[in-house]
Amino acid sequence: MSSTGSLFSQTLQEITNTKLDELSKKRGAFEERRQALITAAQKQDDDILALESLASEVKKLFSIATEDGRVIRGRTDHLRLEIDLKNLDRFLAQAKYDPSVSPKVLGQWQDSLLRHLNIRSLKFAYASLYGQLTTEWLSSKQPAPSIPTEDETVEDFEHVSGGKKMESRLKWEQSVFEPKEVDLIAVTTLLKDLFEAKPEDSKHILRAIKALRERVAEFERELAGPSSFTTSTLCWTIQGLENSDLLTDDKRAVLKDFKGNQVILNEVADVLNMRIAALDRWTWGEEVRLEQRRQLNGSFNMYMHEDLLQAIFLQHIGVKWSVFWKRTLSQFRNSKGVWKSPSTSVPLIDRKRREYYLGTRDSNPSVESEKQKIYRRSYFVSQLLKYENQHVGGAEGEEEANFEESYQQPAQSGGRARQTARQSAVQAQQAARIPWANQPQNTTGGLVKGGRLRHRRIQPEAERECAGEEDEFEQEDNDDDYDESLSPMLAKQTLLHLLSTDISIKCRLHGEITCFRSQVDSLYPSLPHATIESVLKFFGVSQSWLQFFTRFLQAPLRFMDDKAAEPRLRKRGTPGAHVLSEVFGEVVLFCLDFAINQDTDGQALWRLNDDLWFWSADNKVCAKAWSRITKFTETMGLSLNEARTGGSRMLQKAKDAEKLVSANPGHGLPEGQIRWGMLLLNAESGRFEIDQEMVDKHIEELIHQLKGKKGSIFAWIQTYNTYAARFFTSNFGKPANCFGRQHVDDMLATHERIQRRIFASSAMTDANQKTGSVVEFLKLAIEQRFGVKDIPDGYFFFPTQLGGLDVLSPFIGLLQIRDAVTERPRKLLDDFEEAEMEAYRVAKKRFEEGKTREQHPMHDAPTFRPRDPGTFFSFEEFSKYREELWYGFDSELVDVFQKMLEQPSEESVEADENGTVKVAHNALAGYRGDLSGMGILSSWYSMEPYWKYVALLYGPEMIDRFGGFSIVEPGLLPMGMVSLFKSGRDTLSAHENYPSATIRLSLPALFSLLPLISSSPVSSSPRTPPPAPVSVIAQFPNGTWIENIAVPSNSALLATIISPAPSIYQVSPSNLHAPLLLATIPSTLALRGIAETTPDIFAISASNVTGFDPVFAENVWTVDVSRVPHSKGLEAGAVQRLTTIRHAAFLAKATLINGLAALPQKRTTVLAASLTQGVIYSVDTPTGKHEIVQGDPLFDVPAGAKFPLGLNGIRIRNGVLFFSNLARAVVGGAEESVVAGCTAAAFASGQEGRDGVLYVVTNGGLLAETGLFPDNDPEGGIVGGKVLMVDVRKWF
């Protein structure tokens, strides 16, 4: 089958040329008629006739519809002009009779019409300019061969010198074609000592390793099944390949054809099932061609060009093994008595003494438990996939700067060679404006602004059982409702925040901290095959699969430019850009993770792929960890990258809490500098600071790159955005409270210096034409090339959808974050110490007054009494376990820890609702162009803070010049070609990842569809899917009104009840037990909406009214059910004691809040729907802040409606907001007797076999008595509320 990629590109090129030709003709015709109109008006002596003639011609020129001489509005996009002309007709009629209408007034109206003409002329001029820029860009590109033959960087980056390329290649060849001798006996001994030879732990570890091996055997049997490949599995396999570095654009085009053709998918599945059935005979074939590419950071990667079916086959197998090992190793980690935890180091006697003096304490988060949660979610075998279609995030320019070359490390002169299956910058969607703008926040454990989890209870480590901990993995790692896309850059940034926070805490509390960073040198190219085989064999992988993996590793390779060379078998390292390669690396290094955990009594090796970080307040513990790392890598045949290895020991300076003293780490620890990106850890301040010398080197590189792009404005801007706005910003570190406000100021100052250096360089401008900014440079370049002058500044920063050039500003986002960042992070520790001392005094007073024993009976040790029972223990003993235990006072250490890790969000600038900018923005509601995705959107509340800033800063000038935000008329611009080139690939596959949403109606009108904040566009026509099967999974007593439902991570359902009493119930989707009462909310008459904000913590809307009167009594509460099990034999009273409730927000101006939905980007913020106001509020549950963010006519109660309640349930699914309007709803699509009185619904997600199932709750027909909804009466009477399961998987 031939690829359609080139045909598609040719077709799009023809469309672009046609658009540009048509634009030229339209502009010429318009200018000719415009000039004739102006000339005719000037020759007319009668002002009234002149104006009348001008108005008549303007109507023709703008195709304004008329009927009997009267303007008909709404037939064109020129709404303002239509109004002006319609009014002008009346004014002219008056002027013919009324002599008081002065020539001045007529002149003003003439000027107004001429302004419309001039604006249209200007829009044509800028549309023409855009076309010229596009033509310039296309002509600057060389025709790309089907398989590239030269090293590439991001789409337009220049080629590098052949010498550096050859040096890197020679080093790579020496590594991969020469086998590494490994002592297999030493490897086996290391693994046995680690997993089998620990008498004190042997019972637990041996049991866990046995279970792991059994899971391996079971998985192999499952994978070898007769139908391993199906059309559905091929879809996620192909999607993963499209997002990888493995394929050329032509092959991606072929994959696109595969996905759209069911017949082809069936044939491919048959062939690949044959291949896996004959796994023992699989080979690569005669050869696999290699290509060498240079990355943005200067390093080089090797890419394989393999057969397409081969790539699909290996991708599928790799993903399957990746998901399997992620789950299996997590289950091993969670097994009882296997993975050590620092919190278990608190001796039993100390626990009993604390309970005696302080009373029994709830098991709430501590610093150590929070760190473990972050580690589990984001750093434990982080390269493995949690599920088959997991997305790996990353924006163009998000690469760590390569500093080895900058600091002249000879061994690394070729740059760091890495081979991963992750999507490269050239193929990444331009997802993020700057590195932190659109990242999925909960990948870092939810530690963003508003992520305080102080009241969440967790089970003590010592009390966990194996089964319970495996459930915890289900809860934290398999929740599809959360955005679990992997973001390597975000995880690295958070790692810096963790270290920076611990430097402040440990130096203050313990007086010192020792830390080191290292990296496995060229992990994937150098990983010995014998090491991989030994580790997999130890873990129970069968001989047949080991032989397959050996053949996979020993690929016959030949460089594409060595046509006469014979293929050579790979003897070391793993094939680049393959998921299996990452599987091998993670499984091997998992052994190092476990070894560090055991050697250091539960301390974590913070590892991201091959990047190793460790720190501790105990210098000797760090020495143990470093010793283990060096011995492990040596045994496994690996080495450490000396240039990326460094260590530091910092001591608290006496009498100065703000300063530290650098000390020699000793104990054989590394002494080099600790670096990441362009940051350097200053041991005397404890801060990561920007290395200005390194910035200077990259400024020169950026100037060099920009100079090479001066032939195309678009190419120049793309390079500028990638390097200046993204690469520098991401390598300066993501702002967080632990870095302090000074870090943001340093970033701003450095960006300012970068700008001045770039545009003061003689390489950028002539000696007599110096420019001081990107705007001045581009203005000069456009004037010199195209003769366009006096360009407004906003033209450069406005998005391409509106006709702008989309230059990104690195300053705007930082300025919007700056004031939200804590100015002096260590003041938080000052406050903590004061609060801790006060808490000690309060606890001592309570003990001495006998209140501790009265209010906190000692359940665990009722007979324990210390030797000095009447004397309260010392402050030193009271504060001994600050990091391991929860203390229960405000501003305690865990609060400080979470506050320091917060990554403040951008704070939007405010807009005058009646100002010119908002008025002009509102006019975009009728814009015919595509305003989806990023940029200045048609909904102000849906826009990112960055674009609101751009609109308010540059909007006034743009409105004055162009009459609004639209620079050109939609349809005239060749946006398809520009978007295609910006995406970095020549096929449609990049765009198919984000299809337009379609309105889905079954249980007709139960849900309507609107775009969510930053969501995809909505199609204008609904379609009706097939009827869906319905089953009842819970029946409540007669008279029960079930108002809303949520699907938690643990698979049990939660339902809110209005009557007979406001309450929250747990419902088993598998009918394991009857509904269980979890909690009631105090001083509340009705519970309505519910949404999960973080795992097992829910926001609930509550009201002090049950009727329809708009009483201002709306609240949002949070309910924590993390300690509630979901199994048989539970007692209601026990369940209620395990549930925690907290008041979150009082919505003073809201009325009858009902449906809630958590924002995917920041789940602690919920959307709240008002039944009577027809609007949606945004509520930040940690702080209580709230505002109206969305309104729509479909939210309103229709005129004349019998029932005065409208906007009801809301849910978010795949970036789309589903909502129901009670006053508009017509129930159908299933038997009315089953769904009578449906009130809300929620999608199942993360539940095995139920993804796509819809759970629906009903009010039992209680509204039938009102007579307002006769269709809600199922049998002419009242029944009990129900929980239904509706299978809607056919809809998607």
Side-chain angles (χ1 to χ4, degrees):
M1 174 181 293
S2 62
S3 169
T4 60
S6 58
L7 178 61
F8 167 77
S9 297
Q10 293 171 11
T11 303
L12 193 55
Q13 176 72 71
E14 292 175 4
I15 293 173
T16 298
N17 292 337
T18 301
K19 277 190 173 184
L20 295 179
D21 290 343
E22 184 64 22
L23 170 63
S24 178
K25 294 176 183 178
K26 281 187 175 182
R27 184 188 182 192
F30 175 83
E31 289 298 333
E32 183 178 349
R33 293 182 66 184
R34 182 178 78 95
Q35 193 58 48
L37 277 176
I38 295 174
T39 302
Q42 291 173 346
K43 291 181 179 180
Q44 182 61 255
D45 296 330
D46 189 318
D47 292 339
I48 296 177
L49 292 177
L51 184 55
E52 193 174 47
S53 174
L54 180 61
S56 176
E57 292 301 318
V58 167
K59 291 174 186 176
K60 296 177 184 178
L61 195 55
F62 284 86
S63 302
I64 303 297
T66 60
E67 184 174 321
D68 297 330
R70 302 180 63 181
V71 172
I72 302 175
R73 290 179 53 189
R75 298 288 181 87
T76 72
D77 293 331
H78 311 292
L79 301 181
R80 187 180 301 176
L81 178 59
E82 287 177 346
I83 294 173
D84 286 350
L85 288 171
K86 188 170 185 177
N87 292 335
L88 181 58
D89 287 342
R90 295 188 177 184
F91 298 154
L92 283 172
Q94 177 188 356
K96 290 179 180 179
Y97 301 100
D98 186 355
S100 68
V101 178
S102 67
K104 179 180 179 182
V105 172
L106 297 176
Q108 290 173 345
W109 276 101
Q110 179 171 312
D111 291 343
S112 176
L113 292 182
L114 292 176
R115 172 170 166 76
H116 282 291
L117 290 173
N118 292 336
I119 288 176
R120 186 88 185 275
S121 175
L122 190 63
K123 288 189 174 187
F124 270 121
Y126 276 82
S128 177
L129 173 60
Y130 203 97
Q132 290 175 287
L133 293 172
T134 304
T135 302
E136 177 192 61
W137 195 11
L138 299 180
S139 63
S140 70
K141 292 176 174 290
Q142 297 298 324
S146 58
I147 298 179
T149 58
E150 297 292 338
D151 54 285
E152 300 171 349
T153 62
V154 182
E155 171 74 11
D156 285 313
F157 273 38
E158 65 177 22
H159 300 297
V160 295
S161 64
K164 192 176 296 183
K165 174 183 176 182
M166 184 57 66
E167 181 182 357
S168 174
R169 172 172 163 176
L170 289 175
K171 181 188 174 187
W172 185 85
E173 289 180 337
Q174 291 171 0
S175 172
V176 303
F177 293 126
E178 298 176 7
K180 173 71 175 180
E181 296 297 329
V182 178
D183 188 342
L184 297 182
I185 296 177
V187 172
T188 303
T189 301
L190 184 153
L191 295 174
K192 288 184 175 180
D193 289 345
L194 188 56
F195 293 99
E196 296 179 352
K198 292 200 172 187
E200 70 278 10
D201 299 326
S202 59
K203 179 179 68 173
H204 298 301
I205 297 180
L206 286 175
R207 185 186 299 133
I209 202 70
K210 179 182 177 183
L212 183 151
R213 290 166 178 161
E214 290 173 352
R215 292 186 184 105
V216 170
E218 177 63 27
F219 173 72
E220 289 186 359
R221 288 192 293 271
E222 174 188 328
L223 195 57
S227 58
S228 181
F229 288 90
T230 65
T231 55
S232 60
T233 62
L234 282 176
C235 286
W236 58 253
T237 301
I238 290 173
Q239 187 65 57
L241 274 177
E242 287 182 322
N243 291 332
S244 76
D245 282 344
L246 198 59
L247 301 182
T248 62
D249 287 345
D250 282 348
K251 289 182 178 178
R252 285 193 182 90
V254 175
L255 283 182
K256 173 184 173 294
D257 292 340
F258 281 10
K259 283 199 307 181
N261 192 314
Q262 195 71 20
V263 175
I264 294 178
L265 288 177
N266 285 326
E267 294 296 329
V268 171
D270 290 343
V271 171
L272 297 183
N273 279 321
M274 293 177 188
R275 286 195 183 184
I276 201 167
L279 195 68
D280 57 336
R281 298 194 299 273
W282 178 88
T283 67
W284 281 104
E286 294 183 1
E287 68 174 22
V288 181
R289 291 177 295 170
L290 281 177
E291 173 198 3
Q292 185 178 14
R293 301 182 199 165
R294 180 179 184 262
Q295 304 305 297
L296 182 64
N297 63 5
S299 63
F300 292 87
N301 285 0
M302 302 297 176
Y303 292 86
M304 301 170 64
H305 293 280
E306 59 206 61
D307 172 75
L308 192 55
L309 288 180
Q310 198 83 282
I312 298 174
F313 180 72
L314 293 174
Q315 174 79 9
H316 177 89
I317 290 177
V319 170
K320 282 289 188 180
W321 275 103
S322 182
V323 173
F324 164 76
W325 280 116
K326 181 75 169 188
R327 177 171 294 276
T328 300
L329 296 179
S330 296
Q331 290 170 331
F332 176 87
R333 178 200 69 202
N334 293 334
S335 299
K336 181 180 178 181
V338 172
W339 207 268
K340 293 183 179 180
S341 168
S343 62
T344 60
S345 62
V346 181
L348 181 60
I349 185 62
D350 287 359
R351 291 181 181 272
K352 290 182 176 181
R353 284 179 60 81
R354 295 182 64 81
E355 290 167 357
Y356 177 83
Y357 291 114
L358 302 174
T360 302
R361 295 300 178 99
D362 291 326
S363 300
N364 282 298
S366 65
V367 171
E368 287 298 337
S369 69
E370 287 294 286
K371 286 166 67 174
Q372 289 178 57
K373 180 174 66 177
I374 296 170
Y375 173 78
R376 289 193 301 266
R377 286 190 174 183
S378 300
Y379 299 96
F380 179 72
V381 288
S382 60
Q383 299 302 107
L384 299 180
L385 302 173
K386 293 180 181 178
Y387 44 87
E388 283 86 354
N389 58 352
Q390 185 173 10
H391 172 66
V392 181
E396 191 173 6
E398 285 193 3
E399 297 182 26
E400 181 182 351
N402 181 31
F403 55 76
E404 293 98 326
E405 189 174 327
S406 300
Y407 288 88
Q408 299 180 354
Q409 299 289 339
Q412 298 298 323
S413 59
R416 179 180 172 217
R418 298 192 62 188
Q419 295 172 301
T420 72
R422 306 312 188 200
Q423 186 178 26
S424 70
V426 66
Q427 295 165 345
Q429 288 289 323
Q430 294 193 3
R433 169 177 41 79
I434 55 177
W436 54 79
N438 253 0
Q439 294 292 351
Q441 297 299 316
N442 57 301
T443 56
T444 64
L447 295 172
V448 295
K449 185 175 182 179
R452 186 170 180 265
L453 305 177
R454 167 165 148 60
H455 294 281
R456 179 181 176 188
R457 299 186 178 187
I458 58 174
Q459 231 176 336
E461 194 79 25
E463 297 177 10
R464 292 183 180 174
E465 297 295 334
C466 179
E469 301 212 14
E470 291 183 6
D471 288 340
E472 175 194 346
F473 172 73
E474 298 287 339
Q475 167 187 317
E476 295 191 0
D477 295 347
N478 279 352
D479 183 9
D480 288 344
D481 270 348
Y482 298 95
D483 185 353
E484 292 287 358
S485 60
L486 293 174
S487 175
M489 177 59 73
L490 187 61
K492 290 177 182 180
Q493 302 274 5
T494 303
L495 190 55
L496 302 181
H497 299 162
L498 284 164
L499 175 54
S500 182
T501 298
D502 258 354
I503 288 173
S504 297
I505 290 176
K506 293 189 181 299
C507 285
R508 178 69 67 91
L509 302 185
H510 303 284
E512 68 170 280
I513 187 173
T514 303
C515 52
F516 63 79
R517 183 226 180 161
S518 189
Q519 198 167 70
V520 179
D521 190 17
S522 300
L523 171 63
Y524 297 112
S526 64
L527 189 59
H529 295 177
T531 297
I532 297 172
E533 182 179 357
S534 296
V535 173
L536 294 177
K537 183 177 181 180
F538 181 82
F539 285 146
V541 176
S542 67
Q543 193 62 33
S544 61
W545 275 101
L546 289 176
Q547 291 172 354
F548 169 78
F549 291 149
T550 298
R551 293 193 296 274
F552 167 77
L553 292 170
Q554 294 180 353
L557 304 176
R558 179 181 66 80
F559 279 96
M560 293 165 56
D561 52 2
D562 280 351
K563 296 182 180 180
E566 291 294 325
R568 290 186 287 175
L569 286 182
R570 184 174 199 138
K571 298 296 184 180
R572 187 181 181 188
T574 60
H578 279 275
V579 179
L580 269 179
S581 298
E582 293 182 345
V583 170
F584 298 151
E586 286 296 291
V587 173
V588 170
L589 292 181
F590 160 78
C591 302
L592 177 60
D593 298 337
F594 184 60
I596 297 294
N597 172 267
Q598 300 296 298
D599 290 352
T600 61
D601 293 324
Q603 296 294 317
L605 174 65
W606 298 90
R607 182 177 65 81
L608 276 169
N609 197 11
D610 53 0
D611 209 358
L612 315 174
W613 296 73
F614 189 89
W615 59 87
S616 173
D618 189 335
N619 180 255
K620 294 181 180 179
V621 170
C622 271
K624 282 185 181 179
W626 179 248
S627 176
R628 168 63 81 168
I629 289 173
T630 54
K631 291 177 181 177
F632 180 91
T633 52
E634 181 180 356
T635 302
M636 294 294 183
L638 299 168
S639 60
L640 297 175
N641 185 328
E642 293 183 6
R644 290 180 178 261
T645 298
S648 180
R649 185 179 184 187
M650 290 162 275
L651 310 178
Q652 183 71 58
K653 190 172 184 179
K655 299 180 181 180
D656 191 342
E658 295 292 329
K659 295 183 180 180
L660 305 177
V661 177
S662 178
N664 190 318
H667 300 290
L669 286 164
E671 299 183 25
Q673 295 173 323
I674 295 181
R675 293 179 168 276
W676 181 89
M678 297 183 193
L679 295 176
L680 170 65
L681 179 60
N682 185 337
E684 295 182 355
S685 66
R687 293 181 58 240
F688 279 98
E689 299 174 354
I690 299 173
D691 184 346
Q692 298 296 337
E693 292 185 10
M694 190 173 179
V695 171
D696 288 339
K697 295 179 182 295
H698 282 279
I699 290 175
E700 294 304 318
E701 173 68 10
L702 173 56
I703 292 173
H704 192 55
Q705 298 288 354
L706 291 175
K707 181 182 178 182
K709 302 303 161 198
K710 292 176 69 175
S712 166
I713 297 293
F714 277 164
W716 191 98
I717 290 175
Q718 187 178 22
T719 301
Y720 173 87
N721 286 346
T722 300
Y723 214 129
R726 294 194 184 100
F727 181 70
F728 276 113
T729 301
S730 60
N731 278 278
F732 291 163
K734 185 173 182 179
N737 285 333
C738 57
F739 283 173
R741 194 174 298 167
Q742 182 60 50
H743 178 73
V744 181
D745 291 340
D746 291 345
M747 294 177 72
L748 287 166
T750 304
H751 274 298
E752 188 268 345
R753 190 169 68 84
I754 291 170
Q755 297 284 311
R756 295 198 180 280
R757 282 281 305 277
I758 291 173
F759 299 106
S761 170
S762 59
M764 295 302 300
T765 56
D766 296 334
N768 59 345
Q769 292 180 323
K770 295 295 182 184
T771 59
S773 70
V774 61
V775 170
E776 292 179 7
F777 172 81
L778 290 173
K779 282 184 178 181
L780 180 62
I782 291 175
E783 180 181 347
Q784 291 175 340
R785 296 182 203 181
F786 307 108
V788 180
K789 301 180 180 180
D790 192 25
I791 302 175
D793 292 353
Y795 173 70
F796 300 100
F797 295 100
F798 263 44
T800 54
Q801 298 99 316
L802 295 175
L805 297 188
D806 207 2
V807 175
L808 299 183
S809 169
F811 299 99
I812 292 177
L814 291 173
L815 288 169
Q816 291 180 298
I817 287 174
R818 181 187 180 278
D819 292 341
V821 176
T822 299
E823 183 173 6
R824 191 169 72 87
R826 288 171 188 170
K827 184 181 182 299
L828 298 173
L829 289 168
D830 297 339
D831 297 340
F832 155 71
E833 290 177 335
E834 293 179 7
E836 184 183 44
M837 183 58 70
E838 178 61 24
Y840 176 75
R841 288 194 291 265
V842 170
K844 181 178 180 181
K845 182 178 180 182
R846 291 173 58 82
F847 176 82
E848 293 172 348
E849 293 175 351
K851 295 181 179 179
T852 300
R853 289 183 291 276
E854 293 174 2
Q855 298 185 11
H856 300 282
M858 296 166 289
H859 302 290
D860 296 335
T863 60
F864 173 79
R865 289 175 65 85
R867 293 181 180 179
D868 48 351
T871 304
F872 194 66
F873 64 171
S874 67
F875 176 75
E876 287 71 23
E877 186 175 355
F878 170 81
S879 60
K880 186 176 182 180
Y881 299 107
R882 298 153 161 153
E883 296 173 80
E884 292 80 10
L885 300 175
W886 179 73
Y887 278 64
F889 59 87
D890 289 333
S891 299
E892 69 165 298
L893 193 60
V894 67
D895 298 328
V896 174
F897 177 79
Q898 292 176 338
K899 182 67 175 178
M900 283 190 167
L901 286 181
E902 282 182 8
Q903 303 159 8
S905 304
E906 296 168 320
E907 296 182 345
S908 297
V909 288
E910 297 183 7
D912 181 359
E913 292 295 328
N914 299 314
T916 56
V917 170
K918 282 301 296 291
V919 171
H921 178 268
N922 292 338
L924 289 177
Y927 186 71
R928 292 187 295 110
D930 181 15
L931 293 181
S932 62
M934 309 278 289
I936 296 178
L937 308 177
S938 57
S939 170
W940 182 266
Y941 298 107
S942 302
M943 285 165 54
E944 287 186 350
Y946 174 92
W947 292 108
K948 292 180 182 179
Y949 195 108
V950 169
L952 287 168
L953 178 62
Y954 300 109
E957 183 184 16
M958 301 298 285
I959 295 168
D960 181 64
R961 296 288 296 276
F962 299 100
F965 278 6
S966 175
I967 300 172
V968 299
E969 294 183 6
L972 294 178
L973 298 183
M975 292 304 303
M977 183 61 78
V978 175
S979 299
L980 186 69
F981 280 119
K982 282 193 171 186
S983 72
R985 58 180 67 177
D986 234 12
T987 72
L988 277 175
S989 60
H991 304 283
E992 289 189 338
N993 296 334
Y994 308 99
S996 297
T998 302
I999 296 181
R1000 307 181 185 276
L1001 297 174
S1002 187
L1003 306 175
L1006 174 62
F1007 291 114
S1008 297
L1009 194 65
L1010 282 181
L1012 177 65
I1013 298 173
S1014 302
S1015 72
S1016 301
V1018 181
S1019 65
S1020 58
S1021 58
R1023 69 178 180 87
T1024 302
V1030 179
S1031 58
V1032 179
I1033 61 174
Q1035 174 72 64
F1036 282 73
N1038 281 9
T1040 305
W1041 180 315
I1042 310 175
E1043 176 62 16
N1044 226 310
I1045 190 170
V1047 185
S1049 312
N1050 64 11
S1051 298
L1053 311 177
L1054 263 67
T1056 59
I1057 308 295
I1058 287 183
S1059 68
S1063 48
I1064 308 163
Y1065 276 82
Q1066 182 191 84
V1067 178
S1068 169
S1070 303
N1071 204 19
L1072 291 176
H1073 55 74
L1076 290 172
L1077 176 63
L1078 296 179
T1080 57
I1081 305 295
S1083 303
T1084 297
L1085 297 179
L1087 301 184
R1088 297 192 178 94
I1090 182 170
E1092 190 171 23
T1093 57
T1094 54
D1096 287 333
I1097 297 182
F1098 298 84
I1100 292 180
S1101 59
S1103 176
N1104 290 342
V1105 294
T1106 55
F1108 308 144
D1109 297 327
V1111 178
F1112 296 159
E1114 303 306 307
N1115 297 269
V1116 174
W1117 294 72
T1118 59
V1119 177
D1120 184 346
V1121 297
S1122 59
R1123 299 195 300 163
V1124 177
H1126 49 287
S1127 58
K1128 298 180 180 179
L1130 300 175
E1131 296 181 2
V1135 171
Q1136 293 179 54
R1137 288 193 295 271
L1138 294 174
T1139 305
T1140 305
I1141 60 175
R1142 181 181 71 86
H1143 185 263
F1146 171 60
L1147 282 64
K1149 296 183 180 181
T1151 60
L1152 293 182
I1153 292 298
N1154 191 358
L1156 298 181
L1159 284 179
Q1161 301 93 334
K1162 184 183 178 185
R1163 295 197 64 87
T1164 53
T1165 295
V1166 296
L1167 300 182
S1170 170
L1171 278 161
T1172 54
Q1173 293 173 298
V1175 297
I1176 293 178
Y1177 288 82
S1178 169
V1179 182
D1180 185 42
T1181 56
T1183 66
K1185 294 180 180 179
H1186 57 276
E1187 63 177 342
I1188 295 176
V1189 296
Q1190 186 84 353
D1192 192 274
L1194 290 177
F1195 294 171
D1196 298 334
V1197 178
K1202 295 181 180 180
F1203 202 51
L1205 300 183
L1207 190 58
N1208 194 357
I1210 56 175
R1211 285 291 182 261
I1212 299 171
R1213 176 75 168 176
N1214 295 336
V1216 174
L1217 179 69
F1218 290 77
F1219 72 90
S1220 63
N1221 188 315
L1222 194 57
R1224 296 176 183 268
V1226 179
V1227 180
E1231 296 181 19
E1232 290 187 357
S1233 61
V1234 177
V1235 296
C1238 64
T1239 53
F1243 286 100
S1245 189
Q1247 299 179 355
E1248 184 176 354
R1250 290 183 181 150
D1251 193 22
V1253 165
L1254 191 67
Y1255 293 110
V1256 180
V1257 293
T1258 77
N1259 59 24
L1262 286 175
L1263 289 178
E1265 288 187 332
T1266 66
L1268 299 175
F1269 287 89
D1271 290 339
N1272 278 344
D1273 186 358
E1275 299 171 356
I1278 304 301
V1279 299
K1282 299 174 183 178
V1283 181
L1284 315 170
M1285 184 170 68
V1286 186
D1287 190 347
V1288 296
R1289 282 172 284 195
K1290 293 182 179 179
W1291 297 6
F1292 294 96

